[in-house]
């Protein structure tokens, strides 16, 4: 099972993606977050296999992908 975190600033988008991904047995949504700070906190806390974003701001995502945020090494986003 693939553990996924969903990041977007719009709650409706987060919840819609969660509903869609939850219909697939191979995915488990372990967190939904609405800010860059929450992305970092949730990665450190939940240790997802990956995370989905629907056009989130690139600053935090870029830092996470390049591994420059302590505790978030090895993570990158899967843009939907």
């Amino acid at each position: 099972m693939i553990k996924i975190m969903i990041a977007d600033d719009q709650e409706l988008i987060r919840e819609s993606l969660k509903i869609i991904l939850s219909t697939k047995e191979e995915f488990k949504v372990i967190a939904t977050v609405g800010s860059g700070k929450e992305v970092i906190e949730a990665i450190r806390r939940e240790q997802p296999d990956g995370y989905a974003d629907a056009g989130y701001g690139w600053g935090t995502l870029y830092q996470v992908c390049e591994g420059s945020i302590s505790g978030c090494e090895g993570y990158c986003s899967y843009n939907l």
Side-chain angles (χ1 to χ4, degrees), residues 10-66:
Q10 298 292 319
E11 184 177 5
L12 179 61
I13 300 298
R14 292 193 308 266
E15 292 304 313
S16 297
L17 286 173
K18 181 178 179 180
I19 290 167
I20 292 167
L21 291 171
S22 295
T23 65
K24 304 294 183 185
E25 290 181 11
E26 63 268 24
F27 298 127
K28 180 179 181 181
V29 176
I30 59 170
T32 60
V33 298
S35 72
K37 181 180 177 185
E38 290 176 318
V39 166
I40 295 165
E41 292 170 353
I43 287 175
R44 289 177 176 157
R45 182 182 63 248
E46 302 293 339
Q47 299 291 299
D49 296 318
Y51 68 92
D53 78 87
Y56 207 79
W58 277 103
T60 301
L61 297 179
Y62 177 77
Q63 290 174 318
V64 168
C65 287
E66 72 174 3

